[in-house]
Amino acid sequence: MSDMVERTLTALPGLFLQNQLGGPAASRAPFFSRLGGLIRGVTALSSKHEEEKLIQQELSSLKATVSAPTTTLKMMKECMVRLIYCEMLGYDASFGYIHAIKLAQQGNLLEKRVGYLAVSLFLHESHELLLLLVNTVVKDLQSTNLVEVCMALTVVSQIFPREMIPAVLPLIEDKLQHSKEIIRRKAVLALYKFYLIAPNQVQHIHTKFRKALCDRDAGVMAASLHIYLRMIKENPSGYKDLTESFVTILKQVVGGKLPVEFSYHSVPAPWLQIQLLRILGLLGKDDQRTSELMYDVLDESLRRAELNHNVTYAILFECVHTIYSIYPKSELLEKAVKCIGKFVLSPKINLKYLGLKALTYVIQQDPSLALQHQITIIECLDHPDPIIKRETLELLYRITNAQNVIVIVQKMLDYLHQSKEEYIIINLVGKIAELAEKYAPDNVWFIQTMNAVFSVGGDVMHPDILSNFLRLLAEGFDDETEDQQLRVYAVQSYLTLLDMENTFYPQRFLQVMSWVLGEYSYLLDKESPEEVIARLYKLLKSDSISSETKAWLIAAVTKLTPQAHSSHVVEKLIQEFTVSLNTCLRQHAFELKHLHENVELSKSLLQGAQNCEDIVVDASLSFLDGFVAEGLSQGAAPYKPHHQRQEEQLSQGKVLNFEPYGLSFSSSGFTGRQSPAGISLGSDISGNSAETGLKETSSLKLEGVKKLWGKEGYLPKKESGADDKTEMPHVPAEGATMENADHATTRKDQAQGLTQSTEEKEKQLLASSLFVGLEPENTINLLGKADVVSHKFRRKSKFKVAQSDKTPSVHNPASSALDSDVARGDDGCLSTLETRDSELSSESLAELPSVEKLSGVSSPAPSLFADNNMEVFHPPSSSAPSTAASLLEEDPECGHSCAMEVCSNDSVSVSSYKIWKDDCLLMIWSVTSKTGSELTDAKLEIFPVENLKVIEQPGCLLPGMETESSKSFQYGVQMESPSVEGTLSGFVNYQMVKLEFSMNLSLLDFIRPLKISTEDFGKLWLSFANDVKQTIKMSEPRVALTSVLTELQQKLRLHVVDVVGNEGLLACKLLPSTPCVLHCRVHADEVALWFRSSCSVLSDCLSCHCQKVMETS
Amino acid sequence: MKREEKILYHNFYMPKPEEIQQQIVRETFHLVLKRDDNICNFLEGGSLIGGADYKLIYRHYATLYFVFCVDSSESELGILDLIQVFVETLDKCFENVCELDLIFHMDKVHYILQEVVMGGMVLETNMNEIVAQIEAQNRLEKSEGGLSAAPARAVSAVKNMNLPEIPRNINIGDLNIKVPNLSQFV
């Protein structure tokens, strides 16, 4: 209290001073007192009602004043400020809007300023009055007074009608050349605003943005970064060429090249650094070449940001984020890890929060980091700040696996019970449900967790959770007895819940219960259907039940009725609800009535429904064949599938593609619903002695393997067991030693724990339960991606074991097909492979070489597969493993075309070839003299082409080619925007003779295989919205998928990612890095191709090429 | 119930209907005020301010809260320091700022903010530069208004403001909502 008064008192002189200095006091004093009076009046009031009265009074007097003709602009200015105040308090002051615009139009500078401010606070983007402002803005932009120009630019960047942009755009563009730096800067931000609201209107000034980026004033450059950050976020591949510029700028900033006034707490331009780091992170994502450019500067930034100030931490955080976003470099990663440590261990809560955030981001790539900070994480779980707690849960959510799921979900539920905000509940409930479905260790736990989810999440949660859960119960998974147990347990638990008196459940939960009871209560012997019906009936009579839930309940009763022996409850129900006012309920009641009367019908209808799996659906609708034939014979047009029709439409005129975003082939694995396979797997932990022994000696965790191997003990298992024993000593596996170290530390921790307080012990205990299962993963995962998704494949791999059971020797041809350099490779690698070969089918073995090439990180070889969660997805079909294997291997050499003469005359001939390099198309023109004379003065020039980027590359790649009588020129070519074909033309100048030539380049010259994993393919697939579908009819009656894939691989340079049954997944990129993914499915004589890419034109062009290739083959 | 909170001003860079704006302001108050001083300055937004992508970042100065609402394209610590820059600039412009300055000169505060953040984007972080801009505008004010100041009146106006009536526990929050990158919500 006292220091507040003191503070106010000390401020008083300042206040006087303000009035003296700023003081047009003659006009100011009455205004001051009026606004002041109003504010004081409002502050003094004690109720909302009184405030409303006062403000309404004020507003009506203002209304009278502003509309009076005698009101001067000066008075108007004061009124505006009061209006702003009233409007801020939430009262409607719309009568003053027009006057605000007038004030901006007519007033002198000061009045104009208030007018503009009022306009920008009052109006919104699509307000009709805004159009009246345009003229004023145009006038002020042309003004010679800088302040007026500034004001106009400010209001434009705040609020401007989209359709009027053309009116001011040229004026603002001019301002980019203005001599004053502040004007240029504001103009750039005004253009940014235009880019946000109408990107296509500013497309033509991209070159000017570049100029702004190179502005001599750093402030203008900083402003242009806003635009670039935005544009790069939308299309990172379009701005790769600027990477070097950004790196140079950052280098200069970090190196202290900026004037000292840009420093903040002696850190040079921190906000600029943050912005640049973000841009670099976006540019370097998944792009090794671009990333390499920035390693140095990132290192430098990390090193320089040493001061212990808030803003240096901001920079550090961005550095860490960028380092983990771009293509990984181990040294930098190490440093970043240290940084994260600094954050997490910091006593400052803000830093701790950011540390957790960084961990959450990083943990997907490197789960072992969680181990380093386990105690901190545990402490954060009990942190008084709910925000920290929530972030910790988010972190835990990312590291959940089958072993720690119980503890983590428990923690989440605890948090859930405390929080009241709807937003948090929805979010958290979704996560719990997802984890429960993915990793549930047993049925009881699963049902109980889901019960908690339904009762807490209730009616706010996402409806998908409910339908997923029901579908899971209905469809079940592989093991029928497990399914039944699950259902029985669900029924039991719901009956107990319903028996509890005076408890209210959310409607959704009741709906779940009624559905489950209706479907599965027959599984329960001791409970008769009558009793269940009685319970449901009791619920129906309750007042707190919504009519939707009632409909669910009646449906459940309907299902149970045929099983019941006595039916008076049902009859009572029918009686009551056939007169219900709700038509839906009445409908249900009548249905029930009819079924109840016709026992035969209801038996046949409802008993069958209990085994809905047995119903065979004729998906091809063959029973309609006759009808179709009849229709066709009468001249009807043959049916075309939806996408085909759409394609035809598309080709007729460029119509927009309105097809909703979605997938139709969920069966192919990567998009599949997350199956709860963990439930059945987790419950039958049946080790065998050899393996447990192995586990103890090498401390390798092989749970995944163990569970998959079942009890039967077939051939491969014994083999591998023997292999393990003999080969294990060879394993140099750093992974294993690191693990040992980990274990040692845990042991040490535990040893310390003995001497520590019991509280500490509890933490240790919690830590060991939370972080279990993370140990074997202290290796760099494939492509640095998370293993979270791999669990989804468990079900598939289980299925596959059965298959390899049938063909126990399948691994032999496969290992012989292994590339020789892999065979030469690390012993550990092979032995690890052997231990898992019952699980790995031939494809994955054959994929190993490419996988190694892909990852390109110097990680120990065994880590790639020793990781128990890394399960490569395998096709369930055993279609020609050897062909598929050879498909998945690709020729690393870059090919080249043979020389082709492009033009000649009597004395010289020019021939050219293409070399398809990994990063560009290299064109070589060689000029040969026919007469043997010297050619040193020959010159070659290429005309610029719109969408091709041609860079001369000095030096000769082909030694021996260069002789005196010949000369070659090299050009690297890149396609900037995809098109089917491009023409490159130029001329050779030799002894005053000009020889013109031109040659065609196809899109295919710029297509390179994109080597990604199936999971990444899935992610890419989902991230692209532009898709193109095409069905190609082949001449042969039956097409083999492999031949199609080979064709695509060889002729189009696509990378075959995976083969799943009769579907193939392919990926490629347009240089430099526009990816395109392709799904290919073969049925009978048709090949259905489905393209997706970030660039729609690329998909179109590629599909055109595919068609050409397929039709010629 | 005693009126505990009052908004000094707020500024939306994202077009929202008036009622929603008021609702957002209320919710923000609610969220920020119940937080202790020794916990972190970031708040993940509720559904009203745009969901998971948006954050409230606030700083507490005596009785004032400065709250920025930003999306994920901004650095949290960076914004925290930006608030510091803003407040220091206010301090320089008003020469020892106190909340009365901000209450009675809300238009000026807006102008200063416009120099720091323009259209939802950070424009200038260099305090001296901002002060220079504001002073240029003030000079203009002076030249137009003339120097016929009447300090006596101003003094009496200040005297009239019953100072003890502003006790410490009145939280006169200062809401300054900034939501950049808006197009998706229009």
Side-chain angles (χ1 to χ4, degrees):
Chain A
M1 168 89 184
S2 62
D3 70 270
M4 179 57 221
V5 175
E6 208 174 275
R7 196 171 143 76
T8 316
L9 285 175
T10 51
L12 276 179
L15 214 60
F16 299 139
L17 209 62
Q18 190 65 36
N19 277 300
Q20 281 163 351
L21 288 180
S27 65
R28 196 178 177 80
F31 149 69
F32 184 80
S33 59
R34 260 190 239 162
L35 175 69
L38 176 64
I39 294 172
R40 258 175 284 138
V42 170
T43 329
L45 293 175
S46 56
S47 78
K48 184 83 189 161
H49 180 70
E50 281 173 44
E51 179 194 287
E52 205 174 313
K53 232 167 79 185
L54 184 77
I55 298 282
Q56 290 304 351
Q57 219 177 336
E58 178 75 20
L59 280 175
S60 54
S61 93
L62 276 171
K63 195 170 185 174
T65 322
V66 291
S67 46
T70 51
T71 310
T72 62
L73 288 174
K74 234 176 220 167
M75 286 157 77
M76 192 69 94
K77 189 182 94 183
E78 292 142 18
C79 293
M80 271 314 140
V81 181
R82 276 188 283 161
L83 273 178
I84 293 176
Y85 185 77
C86 295
E87 178 102 348
M88 188 185 70
L89 291 179
Y91 297 91
D92 177 50
S94 52
F95 62 85
Y97 294 175
I98 184 74
H99 297 284
I101 290 178
K102 255 197 226 158
L103 194 63
Q105 210 159 27
Q106 298 163 352
N108 61 23
L109 275 175
L110 274 180
E111 291 147 9
K112 201 184 261 301
R113 188 163 70 152
V114 176
Y116 272 137
L117 177 65
V119 167
S120 63
L121 291 174
F122 287 160
L123 302 186
H124 57 85
E125 216 122 79
S126 45
H127 200 285
E128 48 193 356
L129 286 179
L130 206 53
L131 289 175
L132 298 176
L133 193 71
V134 176
N135 217 359
T136 318
V137 170
V138 170
K139 204 179 79 199
D140 285 338
L141 281 176
Q142 287 163 325
S143 160
T144 49
N145 187 330
L146 289 186
V147 180
E148 277 185 352
V149 179
C150 272
M151 285 195 287
L153 285 173
T154 307
V155 83
V156 163
S157 77
Q158 210 109 319
I159 181 171
F160 201 77
R162 186 186 322 212
E163 58 275 19
M164 294 309 284
I165 290 176
V168 292
L169 191 56
L171 287 170
I172 294 182
E173 278 180 59
D174 282 348
K175 295 286 175 279
L176 288 176
Q177 269 94 46
H178 201 278
S179 59
K180 277 278 183 203
E181 166 269 331
I182 180 83
I183 304 277
R184 290 206 300 277
R185 200 150 37 129
K186 290 197 169 180
V188 169
L189 278 187
L191 288 176
Y192 171 78
K193 171 73 175 182
F194 290 167
Y195 179 78
L196 284 186
I197 57 178
N200 41 2
Q201 301 220 32
V202 289
Q203 250 167 8
H204 63 285
I205 40 178
H206 279 198
T207 47
K208 293 198 174 157
F209 291 154
R210 290 196 182 216
K211 216 178 247 168
L213 184 66
C214 313
D215 197 280
R216 60 187 182 278
D217 188 280
V220 183
M221 183 264 291
S224 75
L225 289 183
H226 289 302
I227 301 181
Y228 276 107
L229 182 62
R230 180 82 186 192
M231 294 197 295
I232 289 171
K233 203 180 253 171
E234 280 161 12
N235 173 23
S237 57
Y239 301 90
K240 299 266 179 189
D241 57 321
L242 285 174
T243 313
E244 265 177 271
S245 318
F246 292 127
V247 168
T248 325
I249 295 171
L250 183 56
K251 235 176 223 161
Q252 290 174 4
V253 175
V254 173
K257 296 270 160 49
L258 281 182
V260 74
E261 58 260 34
F262 280 95
S263 297
Y264 173 77
H265 288 265
S266 63
V267 181
W271 289 278
L272 186 59
Q273 288 194 42
I274 290 170
Q275 197 92 349
L276 282 166
L277 285 167
R278 293 211 161 198
I279 290 180
L280 290 184
L282 289 171
L283 282 173
K285 198 166 191 218
D286 302 328
D287 183 346
Q288 188 174 3
R289 265 198 340 138
T290 316
S291 300
E292 274 164 5
L293 295 172
M294 47 188 92
Y295 289 150
D296 282 345
V297 76
L298 287 175
D299 195 36
E300 177 87 8
S301 303
L302 273 183
R303 222 153 29 79
R304 294 261 182 167
E306 271 170 347
L307 274 168
N308 191 13
H309 186 270
N310 213 1
V311 87
T312 45
Y313 281 109
I315 296 174
L316 276 184
F317 180 77
E318 288 311 319
C319 276
V320 170
H321 197 273
T322 307
I323 287 170
Y324 270 94
S325 309
I326 63 173
Y327 192 89
K329 185 186 183 200
S330 52
E331 285 167 45
L332 281 178
L333 289 180
E334 259 171 51
K335 286 184 184 167
V337 166
K338 265 188 213 146
C339 265
I340 294 178
K342 260 194 240 171
F343 276 99
V344 174
L345 298 174
S346 165
K348 287 184 188 162
I349 299 207
N350 286 341
L351 298 188
K352 204 174 247 327
Y353 169 81
L354 287 177
L356 287 173
K357 222 180 109 170
L359 265 185
T360 314
Y361 184 70
V362 161
I363 217 92
Q364 303 176 353
Q365 300 180 24
D366 188 0
S368 66
L369 264 181
L371 290 173
Q372 289 176 19
H373 300 297
Q374 40 182 311
I375 291 301
T376 320
I377 294 174
I378 302 280
E379 279 166 1
C380 288
L381 261 183
D382 295 322
H383 203 277
D385 187 350
I387 299 290
I388 297 268
K389 253 189 194 172
R390 186 137 53 102
E391 198 58 40
T392 317
L393 288 178
E394 178 75 34
L395 173 67
L396 290 179
Y397 163 71
R398 303 286 170 99
I399 59 166
T400 310
N401 58 32
Q403 292 155 352
N404 58 17
V405 64
I406 299 183
V407 193
I408 289 180
V409 167
Q410 189 50 47
K411 287 279 161 196
M412 288 177 148
L413 284 173
D414 290 348
Y415 184 85
L416 198 59
H417 287 303
Q418 290 163 15
S419 64
K420 291 188 180 58
E421 282 169 61
E422 189 181 309
Y423 170 76
I424 297 171
I425 294 177
I426 296 173
N427 189 312
L428 213 53
V429 152
K431 282 181 181 149
I432 295 176
E434 188 192 330
L435 291 180
E437 279 190 24
K438 254 202 255 182
Y439 303 113
D442 58 64
N443 292 336
V444 177
W445 183 87
F446 179 65
I447 295 293
Q448 274 169 357
T449 308
M450 289 312 281
N451 285 352
V453 164
F454 287 127
S455 49
V456 180
D459 296 323
V460 294
M461 70 182 182
H462 203 270
D464 276 2
I465 299 176
L466 184 143
S467 49
N468 275 350
F469 175 71
L470 293 185
R471 191 161 51 180
L472 207 145
L473 277 183
E475 288 173 3
F477 23 94
D478 299 341
D479 190 346
E480 191 54 36
T481 52
E482 284 280 337
D483 290 349
Q484 294 299 24
Q485 271 179 22
L486 180 66
R487 289 167 194 156
V488 169
Y489 187 75
V491 172
Q492 277 171 342
S493 84
Y494 294 154
L495 287 175
T496 350
L497 285 176
L498 286 182
D499 279 344
M500 278 195 273
E501 294 288 331
N502 292 328
T503 40
F504 294 99
Y505 302 106
Q507 303 299 322
R508 290 257 175 78
F509 195 18
L510 289 173
Q511 290 165 12
V512 170
M513 288 186 194
S514 55
W515 188 86
V516 172
L517 290 181
E519 288 288 322
Y520 298 116
S521 60
Y522 74 93
L523 292 170
L524 221 57
D525 297 330
K526 61 175 199 282
E527 210 75 38
S528 72
E530 288 85 0
E531 284 170 63
V532 179
I533 290 177
R535 282 202 187 94
L536 293 175
Y537 179 70
K538 206 175 113 199
L539 266 182
L540 260 176
K541 300 298 289 172
S542 152
D543 293 332
S544 57
I545 306 285
S546 76
S547 55
E548 191 194 348
T549 313
K550 280 185 183 161
W552 283 73
L553 285 166
I554 299 183
V557 172
T558 315
K559 284 179 213 157
L560 289 173
T561 311
Q563 301 160 28
H565 302 294
S566 79
S567 58
H568 74 271
V569 180
V570 178
E571 273 152 17
K572 212 159 78 186
L573 188 150
I574 291 172
Q575 229 171 35
E576 277 167 36
F577 282 91
T578 42
V579 292
S580 165
L581 286 179
N582 185 316
T583 41
C584 179
L585 290 182
R586 205 157 66 212
Q587 165 84 14
H588 277 288
F590 271 109
E591 280 169 12
L592 174 58
K593 188 177 169 208
H594 285 293
L595 286 175
H596 186 55
E597 283 161 4
N598 191 342
V599 182
E600 278 307 303
L601 178 65
S602 72
K603 282 241 153 99
S604 66
L605 201 66
L606 294 167
Q607 299 288 33
Q610 282 161 10
N611 304 317
C612 53
E613 291 89 359
D614 299 334
I615 296 174
V616 182
V617 177
D618 186 358
S620 66
L621 305 180
S622 60
F623 55 89
L624 285 175
D625 281 352
F627 177 75
V628 172
E630 197 181 321
L632 284 175
S633 67
Q634 284 169 7
Y639 173 74
K640 287 174 189 162
H642 178 65
H643 64 88
Q644 197 181 341
R645 269 176 293 165
Q646 214 166 33
E647 230 164 69
E648 280 170 15
Q649 263 178 355
L650 208 69
S651 56
Q652 277 159 15
K654 280 283 175 195
V655 196
L656 279 176
N657 187 359
F658 288 113
E659 190 179 344
Y661 170 72
L663 282 175
S664 67
F665 54 103
S666 57
S667 61
S668 51
F670 52 84
T671 56
R673 187 168 67 81
Q674 291 158 3
S675 74
I679 300 172
S680 70
L681 286 168
S683 54
D684 61 17
I685 300 176
S686 58
N688 85 22
S689 60
E691 280 150 15
T692 36
L694 171 74
K695 192 174 164 192
E696 277 159 19
T697 51
S698 71
S699 78
L700 265 175
K701 296 218 165 164
L702 297 165
E703 294 92 341
V705 182
K706 183 176 65 191
K707 282 172 210 156
L708 290 165
W709 278 358
K711 294 164 193 161
E712 299 84 4
Y714 50 86
L715 185 65
K717 190 205 83 194
K718 282 172 189 152
E719 240 182 42
S720 63
D723 280 348
D724 286 343
K725 280 186 186 139
T726 51
E727 298 216 18
M728 259 319 162
H730 295 298
V731 181
E734 281 170 49
T737 44
M738 278 161 84
E739 260 160 52
N740 284 335
D742 268 337
H743 277 237
T745 47
T746 346
R747 243 174 269 139
K748 208 170 73 191
D749 284 349
Q750 279 158 1
Q752 282 169 352
L754 288 175
T755 59
Q756 282 161 350
S757 65
T758 45
E759 191 191 332
E760 288 295 306
K761 263 189 233 160
E762 270 170 30
K763 277 185 191 166
Q764 297 283 2
L765 212 66
L766 187 56
S768 58
S769 56
L770 274 177
F771 300 97
V772 63
L774 289 172
E775 284 94 341
E777 295 173 1
N778 47 7
T779 49
I780 297 163
N781 275 347
L782 180 67
L783 268 179
K785 283 285 166 2
D787 65 316
V788 194
V789 266
S790 65
H791 286 270
K792 289 187 216 160
F793 300 126
R794 280 203 171 180
R795 193 167 153 193
K796 297 276 180 192
S797 41
K798 190 178 176 187
F799 176 48
K800 196 192 61 263
V801 173
Q803 259 185 20
S804 52
D805 220 357
K806 280 179 242 149
T807 52
S809 58
V810 78
H811 61 286
N812 290 333
S815 39
S816 64
L818 270 177
D819 219 336
S820 61
D821 62 72
V822 182
R824 265 188 278 113
D826 204 334
D827 280 352
C829 166
L830 262 183
S831 67
T832 331
L833 285 174
E834 296 278 328
T835 59
R836 294 169 55 85
D837 64 1
S838 63
E839 187 188 353
L840 293 168
S841 77
S842 52
E843 280 87 352
S844 66
L845 281 175
E847 202 166 48
L848 187 60
S850 58
V851 164
E852 278 185 336
K853 270 183 258 153
L854 251 181
S855 60
V857 213
S858 58
S859 62
S863 66
L864 278 175
F865 284 94
D867 180 349
N868 67 352
N869 283 326
M870 278 292 304
E871 285 176 22
V872 185
F873 177 73
H874 310 295
S877 78
S878 51
S879 67
S882 54
T883 2
S886 67
L887 259 180
L888 292 166
E889 251 179 290
E890 275 167 43
D891 186 14
E893 294 280 311
C894 48
H896 57 84
S897 69
C898 18
M900 188 171 74
E901 192 178 83
V902 285
C903 64
S904 64
N905 67 2
D906 310 338
S907 51
V908 289
S909 92
V910 182
S911 52
S912 81
Y913 22 146
K914 304 171 180 172
I915 297 181
W916 295 289
K917 286 190 26 169
D918 275 348
D919 50 352
C920 68
L921 171 72
L922 195 65
M923 294 290 306
I924 298 183
W925 282 276
S926 98
V927 185
T928 325
S929 163
K930 286 180 178 166
T931 55
S933 59
E934 255 187 52
L935 262 177
T936 41
D937 60 335
K939 287 216 167 52
L940 183 126
E941 239 174 89
I942 306 288
F943 299 126
V945 198
E946 203 182 332
N947 64 343
L948 296 176
K949 197 170 88 183
V950 186
I951 313 150
E952 185 166 2
Q953 298 197 334
C956 184
L957 253 197
L958 306 167
M961 286 291 300
E962 195 102 359
T963 59
E964 280 181 353
S965 61
S966 74
K967 187 169 180 180
S968 50
F969 303 89
Q970 286 187 27
Y971 287 89
V973 189
Q974 287 196 346
M975 194 174 252
E976 283 183 320
S977 61
S979 63
V980 179
E981 274 183 338
T983 315
L984 203 61
S985 49
F987 60 85
V988 175
N989 218 338
Y990 163 69
Q991 286 175 352
M992 309 305 284
V993 186
K994 200 167 157 185
L995 259 179
E996 294 212 15
F997 61 84
S998 78
M999 57 183 308
N1000 278 336
L1001 295 178
S1002 147
L1003 174 78
L1004 296 182
D1005 290 327
F1006 304 98
I1007 294 289
R1008 298 289 177 273
L1010 179 63
K1011 292 175 183 165
I1012 52 173
S1013 68
T1014 314
E1015 286 164 30
D1016 292 326
F1017 180 93
K1019 283 179 198 155
L1020 274 181
W1021 183 269
L1022 289 174
S1023 66
F1024 295 149
N1026 306 311
D1027 59 0
V1028 172
K1029 287 180 206 152
Q1030 192 180 36
T1031 312
I1032 301 170
K1033 243 191 152 72
M1034 304 293 280
S1035 46
E1036 315 151 49
R1038 285 207 73 81
V1039 194
L1041 177 68
T1042 44
S1043 69
V1044 172
L1045 293 183
T1046 324
E1047 196 76 24
L1048 290 173
Q1049 186 183 31
Q1050 287 170 357
K1051 297 206 173 146
L1052 298 179
R1053 291 191 204 91
L1054 306 180
H1055 170 67
V1056 181
V1057 179
D1058 211 334
V1059 183
V1060 188
N1062 62 345
E1063 294 165 22
L1065 311 178
L1066 301 111
C1068 66
K1069 62 178 176 193
L1070 174 69
L1071 291 173
S1073 60
T1074 317
C1076 180
V1077 285
L1078 165 57
H1079 170 255
C1080 155
R1081 170 184 247 158
V1082 177
H1083 21 207
D1085 59 341
E1086 279 182 348
V1087 181
L1089 295 172
W1090 190 354
F1091 298 82
R1092 277 196 177 187
S1093 168
S1094 54
C1095 166
S1096 58
V1097 193
L1098 178 59
S1099 309
D1100 281 332
C1101 298
L1102 254 186
S1103 92
C1104 168
H1105 278 291
C1106 281
Q1107 191 165 15
K1108 272 190 211 160
V1109 168
M1110 301 297 232
E1111 279 168 359
T1112 52
S1113 69
Chain B
M1 196 185 121
K2 209 165 171 229
R3 291 176 48 79
E4 285 214 331
E5 50 210 44
K6 183 111 337 135
I7 314 148
L8 261 188
Y9 66 18
H10 55 81
N11 198 354
F12 281 79
Y13 292 97
M14 181 155 75
K16 292 259 188 191
E18 181 67 25
E19 315 84 73
I20 306 281
Q21 287 191 6
Q22 290 298 328
Q23 229 174 313
I24 292 176
V25 171
R26 269 198 300 277
E27 193 190 4
T28 310
F29 259 128
H30 187 69
L31 285 173
V32 171
L33 287 183
K34 70 175 182 205
R35 291 179 66 79
D36 294 338
D37 267 354
N38 54 350
I39 54 183
C40 81
N41 298 39
F42 315 121
L43 262 170
E44 269 151 56
S47 37
L48 200 57
I49 59 165
D53 201 34
Y54 289 87
K55 266 198 188 80
L56 295 175
I57 296 169
Y58 69 93
R59 250 188 136 124
H60 190 178
Y61 293 91
T63 52
L64 293 177
Y65 283 95
F66 287 80
V67 186
F68 275 44
C69 170
V70 298
D71 70 0
S72 62
S73 70
E74 302 287 341
S75 148
E76 290 92 346
L77 287 176
I79 293 296
L80 216 50
D81 274 273
L82 190 72
I83 298 177
Q84 178 69 26
V85 167
F86 179 50
V87 173
E88 281 181 37
T89 312
L90 286 176
D91 197 51
K92 281 193 180 175
C93 289
F94 286 103
E95 303 186 22
N96 239 336
V97 71
C98 73
E99 57 178 76
L100 290 179
D101 293 328
L102 304 186
I103 295 171
F104 292 108
H105 298 283
M106 60 169 189
D107 51 337
K108 278 203 164 169
V109 177
H110 270 295
Y111 301 136
I112 295 170
L113 182 67
Q114 276 180 355
E115 295 301 318
V116 181
V117 177
M118 184 170 148
M121 284 293 138
V122 180
L123 174 71
E124 178 61 72
T125 51
N126 176 1
M127 251 173 277
N128 298 331
E129 181 71 24
I130 303 167
V131 175
Q133 286 298 325
I134 295 296
E135 271 171 5
Q137 288 179 18
N138 284 347
R139 267 201 302 282
L140 174 124
E141 199 170 331
K142 220 184 289 179
S143 66
E144 288 206 355
L147 270 170
S148 55
R153 268 181 157 171
V155 172
S156 69
V158 173
K159 272 186 181 159
N160 286 342
M161 288 188 305
N162 222 344
L163 281 176
E165 264 196 9
I166 305 177
R168 197 185 153 87
N169 66 345
I170 289 188
N171 278 309
I172 300 193
D174 176 7
L175 268 199
N176 174 13
I177 302 268
K178 165 179 179 277
V179 185
N181 302 351
L182 347 146
S183 40
Q184 70 265 37
F185 287 105
V186 182

